Amino acid sequence: MLNELTLATATNADISQNPALRAEDFPVVINDLTVAYRDKAVLQDVDVVIPKGQLCAIIGPNGAGKSTLIKAVLNLIPSAAGTVRIFGKPYVHQRRLVGYVPQRTSVDWDFPTTALDVVMMGAYGRLGWVKRPGKHERELAMHCLAQLGMADYADRQISQLSGGQQQRVFLARALVQDAELYLMDEPFVGVDALTEKAIIALLQALRARGKTVVCVHHDLDSAPDYFDWLVLLNVRLIAAGPFSSTFTSDNLHKTYGGSMKSAIRHIQHFEDEHRKLSTAN
Amino acid sequence: MSIFTELFTDYTLRNVALGSALLGVVSGVLGCFAVLRRQGLIGDALAHAALPGICIAYLLTGAKTPLVLMLGAAVSGWIGVWALLRLVQHTRIKEDAALGIVLSAFFGFGILLLTFISRRNDANQAGLDKYLFGQAATLTTGDVEAMAVLGMIALVLVAVFFKELKILAFDSEFAASLGFNTHAINLLLTTLIVVAIVIGLRTVGVVLMAAMLIGPAVAARQWTNKLSVMCALAALFGALAGVSGALISISESRLPTGPMVILSMTVIAAFSVFFAPARGLVWEWVQLARHRAQLRRGLAAGK
């Protein structure tokens, strides 16, 4: 019988060799992934295993390849080497199991459309070519907007939404995809406190339903409160694993280099708290 | 006034009006997607790149058959866009520079061919230079029929693939993650833009054709926040500009049609930019003045 610890600490080699570890329990298995733009490696030999039901943060400095990692998993950019498996199979066979939240700033919010219309785009994948969204898609989209507290804004032109509301529209669109694995690129960047709360509530609800969420994340302060799995990245993989055992000052040193003193302070604070908690238990 | 009664009786006038309306509708609708994708200037490269194609098609066949010249225009326009996209993708040249290179290289070659043809003392060549600035007065029923067939095909394809074109224009990476072949949708869009430009070449000409893609879309965006309405309005504005420009050009001493159409379009676009509710500049100024007055009153009351 497998316990949670075996799942949580499984490596690439374990998954391919140990027949007791089932591919369905691993939403993301990345093997030796290398991505290059022209002659520059953006990601190099990255190995990552993310077990099911985790809220996982991808953390690293600017230019560490965090967004690139997500895009490579989604097959949006070609990889020079390595493989990515989504629940045991290549992404192209598993699209319906994956929801995607791109960076909010990646689109033109002055596009002539409404919040509801954007959210309905989450159903386009299931609809396939030519078929138009109908009553069912409209109701589903309304339901997902409501889940993010945005029901009143359904008919609002998207340029009239605040940054946080735009982010919630993007999250609602991913919910419409009804996926098992959600990949989110910086969902917390530039949002108001209300939106931040709504996103956290959503992430926890998704986890409670056994879904897996992978977020590119910037804020070292909030990360320990939100996530339970961590991938530290700086072109190469620095460390990956359960949050508390991976979020160490040593690992952050390696990720950000020695210069990032403030990062280190955060960690020491976190480690102190962690120690206090463990001793109290 | 007489021109409007003649519109329904005069053979030339009817062709001109129908042809320019068609060109306006098709370029208006496709221009919406081009502009929203921030690819308005691709139309410019494409239109200029069509000129050598027209000349080569004429040199090869020795005749000015409308469909053959249209085909020549489409093929070389396509090659122009292809060269442009390749340059951006495979070199470090930025898009605006690549556009400048492709546009002027193809257009220069086209002018060279045009000069070469005009020096051959070949009576048949007269009128080929009308493709530079357009001449609606020479439209025949055959031209209009060819334009109508091509235009209908383009509009039907837009209607069928509306959802795909919309998601490509709004968020192409998300579309790709859903499994849509964004290269195929992009190819479709570019091909349809080629069709729109080819339809307009005879009337507006290669130099100004891109404005007929951009103008109606910019004007229509001012009046609505819905893509489908924007497409319909752009079609209407395009047709309006096309017909009025063409009629002005043939009623007054045969001015070139292209500039007249574009000037009409500019009037519509300028009016929209200033006076459209909510997005119009005048509206914004009024709002700003109102806020200022309110603030001043508030400050005065505070004292």
Side-chain angles (χ1 to χ4, degrees), chain A residues 172-191:
Chain A
R173 181 175 73 173
L175 279 186
V176 168
Q177 293 185 270
D178 190 24
E180 289 302 313
L181 165 68
Y182 290 91
L183 302 173
M184 305 182 179
D185 205 341
E186 311 244 28
F188 291 100
V189 162
V191 302

Side-chain angles (χ1 to χ4, degrees), chain B residues 28 51 54 73 134 150-151 177 184 215 228 257 270:
Chain B
L51 187 61
I54 296 167
L150 282 175
S177 84
S228 51
T257 315

